[in-house]
Amino acid sequence: METSIVFYRNMNFGHPGSPTRDSLLSILKDAGAEQVESVQTNGTVLLKAMSPERVIGLAAPVLLSKFGYPDVAVIRSLSAVQSFLDRCQIEGITDPTVYRLVLTFFGGAVMDVTLPWTNQKGDVDVLAVEGGMAFCIIRKPRASAGNATVEMERLSRSPATTRSISTLRRCIGLASSF
């Protein structure tokens, strides 16, 4: 059984409309997860289940009724995320204007852009896209940083959520003992 990473969009433990960590883990176990571990307070979860999509689907109405959480969860296999990260050549990026390196997860729609792509503000670069994942550079040329989630939602016409490379590496490290 393969490990999946679940990325809940706009979930923040302790905030209105979001469950607590323990509640989320309990709901996912009740929905059929064999193993589940929260990695961050932002709704990033390692999950083992025969059908991760079924578990997330069964958990969704419970999250809505108990906590008012209405948003989406994007599921990717750990191996797909790791493989994509391995090909992104992250260590080769030394540009001092880089604020953060991220992967943005989205519905997987085909986008009609040539890569690398940079938004009009010049604060988000999309360098690679594969299987509903985009490797992006976020820059902070002014007071606020670029927003890869917003850009990928616009490009893919589907909901998206973003995680830093450090969070993803933490997921991969934790999964080795999962």
Side-chain angles (χ1 to χ4, degrees), residues 54-117:
R54 185 175 191 286
V55 169
I56 298 309
L58 291 171
V62 178
L63 289 167
L64 181 61
S65 68
K66 286 189 171 187
F67 300 99
Y69 178 77
D71 223 322
V72 299
V74 179
I75 306 164
R76 295 290 179 267
S77 72
L78 178 73
S79 62
V81 172
Q82 186 168 13
S83 178
F84 185 55
L85 273 176
D86 289 347
R87 288 190 305 283
C88 286
Q89 301 177 351
I90 293 162
E91 283 71 22
I93 297 173
T94 58
D95 183 340
T97 66
V98 172
Y99 177 70
R100 185 169 288 141
L101 300 175
V102 299
L103 288 191
T104 299
F105 302 89
F106 59 98
V110 175
M111 299 177 301
D112 189 24
V113 296
T114 302
L115 299 177
W117 176 89

Side-chain angles (χ1 to χ4, degrees), residues 9 99-106 111 117-119 121-129 133-139 144-164:
R9 184 175 180 262
Y99 177 70
R100 185 169 288 141
L101 300 175
V102 299
L103 288 191
T104 299
F105 302 89
F106 59 98
M111 299 177 301
W117 176 89
T118 301
N119 68 349
K121 293 182 188 177
D123 58 8
V124 175
D125 298 328
V126 180
L127 302 180
V129 175
M133 299 178 281
F135 173 48
C136 304
I137 292 176
I138 296 177
R139 301 178 193 284
S144 62
N147 190 328
T149 299
V150 168
E151 297 298 342
M152 289 308 301
E153 286 181 338
R154 188 176 62 74
L155 290 172
S156 70
R157 294 182 184 92
S158 65
T161 189
T162 298
R163 298 298 187 275
S164 71

